[in-house]
Amino acid sequence: MSALMELVRAGRTAEVVSLLDGMTDGERRSHFAALKALRKELRAAPWESDARRAYPALLVAGAACQTGAAGVASWIAAADLRWSGASPGVLLHILSGRETDWLADVTHRLAQRRVTAWVPYELMAGLVRLCGCPVPTTDAYVRGWVDHLRGSWQRGGTLLDRLRQDPHLRELTAALFETDDIGSRLQWPNQDGPDSWTGALAQLTVEGALDRGVTVDACVARLLRGGAAADQRVFLRLLKCLGLTRDEERERTADWLALASDATSTVASYAQSVLGGLALDGELAPRHLAEMSEAVLFRTEKKLVRAQLVLLGKVLARDASATGELLPTVAQAFGHEDAEVQERALKLVERHVKRLASVQARAELAMAAAQLIPGLRARAVRTLGAPPADPDPLGYEELLPPAPQPTRLAPAAASAVELAEEVGAALASEPGVSGFERALDGLVRHAHQDRDALLAALEPVITRRWWDSADRAVSGDRFAGSYGAVSDAADGLDLLLATLRGRIPTATLHARVQRGSTSRDCVHGALFRAFECRLWEVAHRMRTDPLPFLLSTPTWSTGLLEPAELVERLDTYRRLGARVAATDFAQALLRVRRADREAAESAARRAAALDTKEGTRLAAWLTSEVPALPTVRRRTSGPRVLVELGEVLDLQEDFPAEFRPLGRPMSVFQKRAWCHHWDDDIRQHWSALLPERRELVAARLLQDLSDLAVDDAQGAAAALPPLAESGGEAGEAVHLGLAYGLGARHEEDRLAAVDALLVLAARGQLDVVRLGTDLGQLAQCGAVKTHRLAESARTAAATGANATIWSVLSRTLPVLLADLTTGGAAAPARGLGELLAVAAECAERSGARGDLPHLAQAATRRGSSRLVTQARRLRNVLVEEVAA
């Protein structure tokens, strides 16, 4: 071994540099092959102490011993050498003797690397200084420049001071405006002083270090281009800091029009204010204002639309000659989703329509009034001469989105190679019930058929798993994590793969099957134990007595298993002489479809004819009556309303010990301090445990679902659509969980709850009285916030479910209105006016009539608040016939 290689292996970087300094180019090149071999050797165990010690010296030596600029750049930016810790100063020293053009080539090759290559900015900037080449303006270099300046505060002075000293200020500042996703780096600190990017760049523009026209144009161009929200915020803030003059604003009228039409809300609002100022000063032509109004009034943001209507009202009041061009554009707001916006637009038209000379324009306004809600349309008939609505002899018809249909699981992968691809994909992302169950069954089948071929196909997947270490076995508790639990789909697949690989001792597998779950119990414990125990027994049998396939693999994506299919599987087991796994058979019983009594009884006769213990058990299970729901008791815990379940005897008789907790009484006061079931994805697999008894699952998830509304938690509502698609009665637990989801803090959770509501409604399983009453109780005690419920209700109604949402809200609103009309001291709930607006719109569209308790008293309150105006609107809809 050469002296250089000994020093590199020892990690003595300073001595490596000294030795390389004394070598010729030819001597350096002669060592490169050995350096490549060492790099390949270290790559096999990059985190071992020998590798960590050698990497800094290896990086420096490899950069010095190559000839080509491309090779040097690739070596320096290589992923395995990235965290070597070698100093950029050392690399600059070792490269400093090269030709200027060669250094420039290396510089630009490094700068063109992806940002994720983490090439040190200090190295690239140092190379620019060495060779005097043009400064790169790539993403990697610009981001590095920004991070370097932000991290240089220790040197004293402000960011403005450091930018003033930068010799490449103009080039790099121009590149800032072309770099995507740079806003997150520029927005802190969130102020406009000399130590912020916006304040510093604005001051440099004032001083003349940056050209003002170029900077303003670059800001506007970046806003027009769109992009990440952080980018838009930063460049808008910079534009405001520049303080545009009226001439600069007027010169860019076309840009403001484009931004008001298509930009994000905050940017559009700024453009709207600029154009509004020009319009009120008479410097914006009516045709441009009309063009702007057409676009802004089409937007969904109520704040922008209202501001535009106010602007139009001011301009029309000042300039009567603009009526012909501006008033027809107001009709754009007649179709807005917010009834209050529609009313404002109608008032504006009514105020100025007498000055509209064009008969055709008047007719167009009258025709546009057909988009108004029924109450406003009736008014437009009187004031604008709009045509009356055609009477609908058939009445309102609810058009609900179709309920999703379950999909049949495809057969397990035919080849081991195909199975390996599926398992790898399932481990990379949550596979869902279908993907997990197919992968599980495929592993069992192929392990039974040809274990060696399966292991060979799985080699690329297994070698990437954290537990695959050739020098030690993995204990059960260590494999399953600090809680000793196989708690999600990936854990389950890992368990089988580790068993196949021989990483878990047979004694460990046997012990886990014998003693059951080691996890401390919680409200989810029964679901978790049933999910986990099957996986441990399958893994144990895979090692000791491989199963030919799984009995419990569902037929449908919901987890349901067709009875005829289960009978066929048991028949195959009988012919093969295979021994049934108790937990696999228990899971199959819980999944088999019993709701279709004809199919169940037919399959039961065939099962009994098998003359096996399992066939007899299945026949009895299929012919027994599906028991009613267990007794349910509602319990209050702080602002929450939860449910407790009584005993379910049929889930305790002849079931393995780990399944019996599913049938035991469930209390809401079971301890949760030890609960580690925080993975949102596992809940869909729990739903598939009991696909015809969703209430048993929903009751155990109710605490998590209540957290969405009460504690602003996130993610648990993903369980609601699978519950809605499952079978069995949708009782108190399902409807309470749905109520919490509709009042969730996060939008994605509310959307999941809306999806579940629509699925239940489409399947005829939604109890609107129960849901509406639950929502009223939860809103009254503060668990569900009214403004969140209003958002969910509006989203659901927008799909066409107007009658459904009205039926729910007609039970919720009386509870919320009661305190306002019976002398209660409580202030009106925030968002109650918005909820009334949704209810009024649903009532108008569905033709609802009748009395709503406490509504009349709310409508007669003084004032013109949104609550009062919407209460009056709803009262008018319910008690008055719409003018025809």
Side-chain angles (χ1 to χ4, degrees):
M1 183 184 298
S2 67
L4 177 64
M5 296 307 298
E6 289 181 357
L7 292 173
V8 170
R9 283 185 178 275
R12 293 155 69 176
T13 306
E15 294 179 49
V16 166
V17 172
S18 179
L19 186 59
L20 288 169
D21 283 344
M23 291 184 183
T24 64
D25 289 345
E27 290 172 334
R28 289 185 178 186
R29 286 194 297 271
S30 67
H31 290 286
F32 186 62
L35 292 169
K36 284 180 63 179
L38 176 59
R39 178 183 172 188
K40 183 177 180 180
E41 174 189 331
L42 297 180
R43 196 181 294 148
W47 303 111
E48 298 296 332
S49 58
D50 290 345
R52 292 199 301 271
R53 180 172 59 249
Y55 269 137
L58 177 61
L59 176 63
V60 172
C65 294
Q66 294 191 71
T67 303
V72 171
S74 296
W75 184 276
I76 291 173
D80 56 328
L81 299 172
R82 182 177 303 158
W83 308 112
S84 67
S87 165
V90 174
L91 285 170
L92 289 171
H93 170 80
I94 207 70
L95 296 174
S96 60
R98 301 294 185 101
E99 295 180 356
T100 299
D101 290 345
W102 186 90
L103 287 173
D105 192 4
V106 171
T107 303
H108 285 276
R109 288 179 183 274
L110 288 174
Q112 288 165 5
R113 292 275 170 171
R114 292 184 177 181
V115 174
T116 51
W118 294 101
V119 177
Y121 167 77
E122 293 79 2
L123 174 62
M124 294 186 288
L127 288 170
V128 170
R129 289 193 298 271
L130 276 176
C131 64
C133 66
V135 63
T137 55
T138 62
D139 281 6
Y141 195 94
V142 173
R143 290 172 191 270
W145 176 64
V146 170
D147 292 343
H148 174 74
L149 287 172
R150 185 173 56 184
S152 302
W153 58 270
Q154 299 97 329
R155 296 185 303 179
T158 62
L159 176 63
L160 175 60
D161 297 329
R162 296 192 289 277
L163 285 170
R164 282 188 181 124
Q165 299 167 11
D166 196 303
H168 305 293
L169 174 64
R170 290 204 172 202
E171 299 95 316
L172 292 175
T173 300
L176 277 180
F177 295 96
E178 303 297 329
T179 304
D180 291 330
D181 298 324
I182 196 67
S184 58
R185 284 173 159 82
L186 302 179
Q187 64 184 349
W188 302 111
N190 190 18
Q191 58 186 26
D192 295 324
D195 214 24
S196 72
W197 277 94
T198 50
L201 292 177
Q203 182 59 34
L204 289 169
T205 304
V206 171
E207 295 173 0
L210 297 174
D211 183 89
R212 181 177 178 84
V214 170
T215 305
V216 172
D217 285 340
C219 274
V220 174
R222 184 55 188 266
L223 294 176
L224 286 168
R225 196 174 83 189
D231 292 355
Q232 297 285 287
R233 285 194 299 269
V234 165
F235 292 110
L236 176 60
R237 202 168 85 195
L238 176 56
L239 193 61
K240 290 178 179 179
C241 287
L242 291 172
L244 302 191
T245 64
R246 181 48 58 89
D247 288 340
E248 289 173 326
E249 290 177 343
R250 191 187 311 107
E251 290 168 2
R252 296 169 176 82
T253 297
D255 296 328
W256 308 132
L257 290 171
L259 290 173
S261 303
D262 300 319
T264 60
S265 182
T266 52
V267 176
S269 178
Y270 174 76
Q272 183 185 47
S273 67
V274 173
L275 289 170
L278 293 171
L280 293 175
D281 289 345
E283 298 185 76
L284 185 68
R287 63 183 179 84
H288 287 149
L289 180 56
E291 177 187 343
M292 170 197 176
S293 299
E294 286 278 355
V296 174
L297 294 177
F298 187 74
R299 297 182 65 122
T300 58
E301 300 95 329
K302 289 184 285 188
K303 184 177 179 180
L304 288 175
V305 174
R306 290 171 182 169
Q308 191 67 22
L309 291 174
V310 170
L311 173 62
L312 286 170
K314 290 180 178 178
V315 173
L316 286 169
R318 294 185 180 190
D319 185 5
S321 64
T323 303
E325 283 192 273
L326 297 183
L327 199 59
T329 66
V330 178
Q332 184 72 50
F334 285 177
H336 197 274
E337 64 176 16
D338 184 40
E340 190 173 323
V341 168
Q342 292 187 16
E343 186 172 13
R344 287 178 181 232
L346 180 58
K347 284 182 178 179
L348 184 59
V349 170
E350 289 172 337
R351 189 180 306 126
H352 298 282
V353 70
K354 293 179 180 179
R355 297 190 308 195
L356 190 60
S358 170
V359 175
Q360 182 180 355
R362 284 171 173 263
E364 290 175 357
L365 282 173
M367 292 299 296
Q371 304 173 75
L372 294 167
I373 60 175
L376 295 179
R377 184 172 182 181
R379 188 169 120 192
V381 170
R382 297 189 299 269
T383 60
L384 302 182
D390 294 330
D392 184 4
L394 300 179
Y396 173 78
E397 182 180 355
E398 186 88 326
L399 296 175
L400 293 168
Q405 296 300 312
T407 56
R408 181 179 284 271
L409 266 67
S415 70
V417 173
E418 182 184 352
L419 174 63
E421 293 176 354
E422 290 186 9
V423 172
L427 289 169
S429 61
E430 167 54 44
V433 172
S434 298
F436 172 65
E437 294 291 346
R438 284 191 69 241
L440 204 64
D441 186 45
L443 288 172
V444 171
R445 288 175 183 269
H446 285 278
H448 180 266
Q449 294 168 10
D450 190 339
R451 179 190 182 93
D452 293 337
L454 176 59
L455 275 171
L458 288 169
E459 184 70 19
V461 177
I462 289 176
T463 54
R464 295 196 296 268
R465 306 311 294 167
W466 63 268
W467 45 261
D468 187 47
S469 175
D471 60 352
R472 65 180 185 273
V474 184
S475 70
D477 287 348
R478 175 176 170 77
F479 166 79
S482 58
Y483 295 97
V486 180
S487 55
D488 59 21
D491 279 353
L493 294 176
D494 270 328
L495 173 60
L496 266 62
L497 293 176
T499 300
L500 282 168
R501 187 70 150 184
R503 295 291 181 256
I504 304 179
T506 304
T508 298
L509 295 170
H510 179 72
R512 290 302 297 264
V513 171
Q514 292 299 310
R515 74 173 185 260
S517 175
T518 60
S519 177
R520 295 173 178 176
D521 212 356
C522 65
V523 72
H524 315 104
L527 300 169
F528 160 71
R529 292 170 69 176
F531 174 81
E532 184 191 38
C533 70
R534 178 176 65 130
L535 298 172
W536 280 105
E537 185 175 13
V538 168
H540 180 245
R541 289 289 300 273
M542 188 177 280
R543 178 71 55 77
T544 59
D545 182 14
L547 299 167
F549 51 81
L550 293 179
L551 294 171
S552 57
T553 303
T555 307
W556 303 100
S557 54
T558 58
L560 272 177
L561 171 59
E562 291 298 334
E565 193 168 334
L566 179 53
V567 173
E568 290 176 6
R569 293 175 187 176
L570 284 174
D571 189 26
T572 303
Y573 262 64
R574 180 187 59 80
R575 288 187 285 102
L576 294 173
R579 182 168 58 90
V580 171
T583 55
D584 184 37
F585 182 56
Q587 177 63 90
L589 289 179
L590 295 180
R591 283 178 169 167
V592 70
R593 185 196 296 270
R594 290 198 286 174
D596 185 341
R597 300 309 300 166
E598 183 178 348
E601 290 170 4
S602 174
R605 291 191 292 271
R606 292 178 53 205
L610 295 177
D611 197 25
T612 63
K613 180 180 70 173
E614 288 78 19
T616 303
R617 173 82 169 98
L618 174 59
W621 181 260
L622 288 173
T623 53
S624 64
E625 290 294 328
V626 179
L629 290 177
T631 57
V632 177
R633 182 168 64 165
R634 294 168 76 100
R635 298 293 296 265
T636 301
S637 177
R640 293 174 170 85
V641 178
L642 304 174
V643 298
E644 294 184 330
L645 298 180
E647 198 166 31
V648 184
L649 292 177
D650 72 315
L651 294 183
Q652 299 185 62
E653 300 169 354
D654 298 325
F655 273 92
E658 293 296 277
F659 280 80
R660 291 173 192 163
L662 290 171
R664 292 177 187 151
M666 190 210 77
S667 169
V668 299
F669 300 107
Q670 284 178 269
K671 292 184 177 179
R672 302 183 72 245
W674 305 302
C675 179
H676 61 279
H677 306 116
W678 52 71
D679 184 357
D680 297 327
D681 293 325
I682 190 60
R683 297 186 180 97
Q684 61 184 310
H685 298 283
W686 288 344
S687 294
L689 287 173
L690 295 159
E692 283 195 326
R693 297 191 181 186
R694 56 183 160 197
E695 272 292 292
L696 300 184
V697 179
R700 291 175 167 88
L701 297 180
L702 202 51
Q703 179 77 47
D704 300 332
L705 294 170
S706 70
D707 289 344
L708 297 170
V710 178
D711 295 334
D712 293 349
Q714 187 172 8
L720 290 171
L723 286 172
E725 295 173 33
S726 291
E729 183 180 340
E732 290 201 41
V734 169
H735 282 82
L736 269 174
L738 182 58
Y740 285 121
L742 294 172
R745 162 66 177 83
H746 297 280
E747 183 180 8
E748 58 269 29
D749 289 312
R750 295 197 298 272
L751 289 175
V754 169
D755 286 343
L757 182 151
L758 294 173
V759 169
L760 288 172
R763 298 179 70 187
Q765 297 168 346
L766 182 68
D767 187 334
V768 294
V769 175
R770 172 176 278 164
L771 178 59
T773 304
D774 285 343
L775 284 168
Q777 181 181 359
L778 294 175
Q780 188 178 45
C781 67
V784 167
K785 294 179 172 57
T786 312
H787 66 281
R788 298 176 184 173
L789 174 58
E791 289 292 328
S792 297
R794 185 179 294 281
T795 301
T799 67
N802 293 288
T804 299
I805 298 305
W806 164 249
S807 298
V808 172
L809 296 183
S810 65
R811 274 78 180 182
T812 303
L813 286 170
V815 179
L816 302 179
L817 293 172
D819 280 345
L820 299 179
T821 59
T822 56
R830 177 190 168 207
L832 181 54
E834 190 64 32
L835 192 63
L836 283 165
V838 177
E841 184 170 345
C842 290
E844 289 166 343
R845 295 185 185 278
S846 63
R849 297 292 183 270
D851 181 46
L852 191 70
H854 309 295
L855 177 63
Q857 296 92 323
T860 56
R861 289 164 61 93
R862 294 182 179 180
S864 58
S865 67
R866 185 162 179 77
L867 188 155
V868 173
T869 57
Q870 295 304 320
R872 292 169 183 165
R873 173 188 170 194
L874 179 57
R875 179 197 59 184
N876 294 338
V877 171
L878 295 178
V879 302
E880 296 179 9
E881 290 294 328
V882 177

